[in-house]
Amino acid sequence: MSRTFTMGDLKHRLQERQHKMTPQRQTVLQVFLDHPGKHLSAEDVHGMLRDSHSEIGLATVYRSLELLSELGILQKMEFGDGCSRYEVNTTNPSEHHHHHLICTKCGRVTEFEDDLLDDLEEDIRRKIGFKVENHQVKFYGICKECQQSVEG
């Protein structure tokens, strides 16, 4: 199950991987802590930092996001629109990530916590001998709000 992290938790995770919590990394991570459950692109993060009068450049944001995702602190996701988005990786490594529901009209991304593929993974292990360690599922469709706006 997912949990909430503090800046201290994230600093510890960086130090475990022999990296320092630089002021820039801390500022970037704070954006994610301030917007839990959001799937933010580098441009989103940079815009939020710029709005709060931060001097961190877009290139620094990109480097920070890439490093933090390589270290498993952030989870990098692709939703089929050519833009990488990130969120704090709150899952236990021995458990699966949540799934994403992506609206093809408004682009809203909703998280879905139920893991529907446990039986399929067991079937794959039994029949093929392949042990699935993790998976990502993305469902594309039209969210309730967009459906209502078309009907209304």
Side-chain angles (χ1 to χ4, degrees):
M1 204 69 213
S2 64
R3 70 180 190 102
T4 304
F5 284 94
T6 66
M7 187 59 72
D9 295 328
L10 298 177
K11 182 178 180 179
H12 180 72
R13 288 173 72 181
L14 261 174
Q15 290 170 338
E16 283 179 332
R17 293 159 178 85
Q18 282 73 49
H19 288 274
K20 292 181 180 175
M21 177 65 84
T22 64
Q24 295 87 350
R25 291 175 191 156
Q26 182 166 342
T27 301
V28 167
L29 282 170
Q30 191 62 52
V31 170
F32 288 92
L33 295 178
D34 292 345
H35 299 88
K38 296 283 185 190
H39 304 88
L40 303 174
S41 68
E43 290 78 9
D44 294 334
V45 172
H46 184 251
M48 291 172 182
L49 293 174
R50 196 176 53 236
D51 290 347
S52 66
H53 307 292
S54 172
E55 298 292 320
I56 296 177
L58 184 58
T60 301
V61 171
Y62 271 107
R63 282 192 304 272
S64 296
L65 293 174
E66 282 301 312
L67 174 67
L68 295 167
S69 67
E70 286 171 20
L71 296 175
I73 294 169
L74 295 179
Q75 181 183 0
K76 182 177 182 178
M77 295 161 288
E78 306 285 339
F79 294 129
D81 60 359
C83 180
S84 297
R85 289 186 179 75
Y86 302 83
E87 66 181 344
V88 174
N89 186 359
T90 58
T91 55
N92 179 329
S94 66
E95 297 174 0
H96 293 304
H97 296 291
H98 50 261
H99 306 308
H100 295 95
L101 312 175
I102 302 145
C103 181
T104 56
K105 285 187 90 64
C106 70
R108 177 180 297 131
V109 178
T110 306
E111 295 178 356
F112 185 74
E113 293 290 338
D114 291 354
D115 192 342
L116 308 172
L117 301 179
D118 286 340
D119 291 341
L120 176 60
E121 289 179 7
E122 178 56 25
D123 222 22
I124 290 169
R125 189 197 60 72
R126 252 185 315 99
K127 291 179 181 174
I128 302 171
F130 184 86
K131 182 182 182 296
V132 176
E133 294 181 347
N134 208 343
H135 63 261
Q136 287 187 6
V137 175
K138 300 168 197 150
F139 293 95
Y140 295 89
I142 301 173
C143 69
K144 187 183 343 181
E145 290 79 7
C146 287
Q147 290 176 51
Q148 291 170 347
S149 70
V150 170
E151 295 167 359

